[in-house]
């Protein structure tokens, strides 16, 4: 029977994969045949990375297992008094949390500090590759109107940064989407931070809220629906949230894909 042993091992690079395989086999480098199956890849900023894979063939048989230890003599046991069980601790009193006014349980959470640090790193790396000089400021959003959740807001500050915003914020949305993907890949969880440039999103939100109120008045006066221009999902949500408590109009989304827009209708 052959005494060869063969395993595959993985690592972030070829050398680490070899060391992992040697440790598993319990042999030195001179006692194996090494075959590189896959050299792996670091990917782009962590996206598309792949471990290196090697195959190690040991030429010597594994050492025989050590003999089992001799059984120890069983000492003569003497009766000992049974200890009294310790008293059980009194149950902790729970503090009742009053329910929110709308009757739903608010899901109020703080922003993720680990996500914040990784987001700053990825955005700084991306700006450096774009040859853009800017500073990064971090804040935490107000609680969401529905969930109470707070998220990190990374604001890119500097001079002449309009190129990072693009028409109707399309470039900024792409930067946010890309950096969320990179951070989510590094942390192995969904990232939800917001990327802004010189407070553009805050100004845009205020402008959309004013637009919603102005169009709502027009709908009430004319008693006929009004359709707004196509918007991305987060901007349509601003319109819906602004008018959700309006007693005279209601909103709905219509259209498909990039042509999806908000309609304001009279009640």
């Amino acid at each position: 029977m052959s005494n060869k042993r063969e395993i595959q091992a993985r690592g972030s690079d070829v050398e680490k994969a070899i060391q992992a395989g040697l440790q598993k086999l319990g042999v030195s480098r001179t006692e194996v045949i090494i075959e590189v199956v896959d050299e792996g890849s670091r990917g782009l900023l962590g996206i598309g990375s792949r471990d290196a894979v090697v195959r190690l063939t040991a030429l010597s048989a594994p050492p025989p297992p050590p003999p089992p230890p001799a059984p120890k003599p069983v000492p003569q046991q003497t009766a000992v008094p049974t200890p009294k069980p310790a008293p059980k601790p009194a149950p902790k009193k729970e503090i009742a949390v009053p329910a929110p006014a709308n009757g739903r349980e608010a899901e109020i959470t703080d922003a993720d500090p680990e996500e914040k640090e990784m987001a700053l790193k990825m955005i700084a790396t991306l700006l450096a590759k774009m040859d853009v000089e800017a500073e990064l400021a971090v804040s935490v959003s107000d609680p969401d109107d529905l969930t109470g959740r707070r998220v990190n807001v990374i604001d890119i500050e500097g001079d002449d940064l309009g190129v990072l915003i693009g028409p109707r914020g399309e470039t900024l949305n792409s930067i946010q989407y890309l950096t969320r993907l990179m951070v989510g890949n590094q942390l192995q969880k969904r990232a939800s931070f917001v990327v802004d440039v010189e407070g553009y999103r805050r100004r845009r939100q205020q402008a959309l809220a004013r637009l919603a109120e102005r169009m709502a008045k027009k709908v009430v006066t004319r008693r006929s629906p009004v359709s707004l221009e196509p918007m991305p999902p987060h901007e349509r949500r601003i319109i819906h949230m602004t008018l959700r408590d309006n007693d005279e109009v209601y909103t709905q989304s219509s259209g498909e894909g990039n042509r999806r827009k908000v309609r304001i209708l009279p009640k």
Side-chain angles (χ1 to χ4, degrees):
M1 181 179 62
S2 172
N3 30 346
K4 290 186 179 181
R5 289 175 294 153
E6 182 178 282
I7 66 167
Q8 282 193 356
R10 293 176 176 269
S12 56
D13 55 36
V14 172
E15 184 59 33
K16 291 182 180 178
I18 293 173
Q19 293 301 323
L22 293 175
Q23 186 175 2
K24 288 182 181 179
L25 289 173
V27 297
S28 65
R29 198 180 189 114
T30 59
E31 297 177 283
V32 295
I33 297 174
I34 301 173
E35 177 186 354
V36 178
V37 178
D38 188 344
E39 294 184 354
S41 172
R42 293 185 179 179
L44 175 61
L45 297 177
I47 297 178
S49 60
R50 187 175 71 252
D51 285 346
V53 182
V54 297
R55 181 180 295 111
L56 305 184
T57 304
L59 301 180
S60 60
K72 295 181 179 180
V74 179
Q76 186 178 1
Q77 297 183 355
T78 57
V80 293
T82 304
K84 295 182 180 181
K88 295 182 178 179
K92 296 181 180 179
K93 294 183 179 180
E94 295 184 358
I95 300 176
V97 180
N102 57 11
R104 293 180 290 101
E105 293 184 1
E107 184 187 342
I108 300 178
T109 58
D110 293 328
D112 187 338
E114 183 183 29
E115 179 190 83
K116 178 189 73 174
E117 295 303 323
M118 186 59 67
L120 287 171
K121 177 180 177 181
M122 290 300 177
I123 294 173
T125 301
L126 185 62
L127 292 177
K129 290 185 176 293
M130 297 172 66
D131 292 327
V132 173
E133 293 185 3
E135 295 182 356
L136 301 179
V138 185
S139 60
V140 178
S141 70
D142 294 330
D144 185 89
D145 292 338
L146 296 178
T147 65
R149 187 183 182 200
R150 299 174 183 267
V151 298
N152 293 302
V153 179
I154 314 296
D155 196 7
I156 305 173
E157 301 177 346
D159 298 326
D160 300 324
L161 296 181
V163 66
L164 299 181
I165 299 175
R168 297 185 182 179
E170 291 178 1
T171 304
L172 177 57
N173 292 335
S174 298
I175 292 174
Q176 176 174 283
Y177 176 75
L178 179 60
T179 52
R180 279 182 175 181
L181 278 182
M182 293 189 293
V183 171
N185 180 71
Q186 292 293 320
L187 301 181
Q188 294 298 302
K189 62 182 180 181
R190 185 173 182 271
S192 56
F193 61 89
V194 173
V195 181
D196 201 356
V197 174
E198 291 288 348
Y200 166 81
R201 292 195 188 279
R202 182 179 63 255
R203 297 192 302 273
R204 178 67 172 167
Q205 180 175 352
Q206 294 170 350
L208 289 172
R210 291 194 297 268
L211 173 67
E213 292 170 352
R214 189 168 66 251
M215 292 299 101
K217 291 180 181 178
K218 181 181 293 187
V219 168
V220 172
T221 301
R222 297 182 178 181
R223 301 303 301 170
S224 61
V226 169
S227 294
L228 303 182
E229 63 180 352
M231 300 177 185
H234 69 277
E235 292 192 348
R236 295 198 305 271
R237 185 176 185 275
I238 294 172
I239 303 296
H240 291 308
M241 297 301 294
T242 301
L243 300 178
R244 65 173 177 168
D245 296 326
N246 192 297
D247 295 330
E248 297 178 292
V249 300
Y250 68 97
T251 59
Q252 64 182 24
S253 293
S254 62
E256 299 294 335
N258 295 333
R259 303 302 301 169
R260 196 160 176 79
K261 56 191 176 182
V262 175
R263 283 173 54 83
I264 305 174
L265 304 95
K267 287 185 178 179

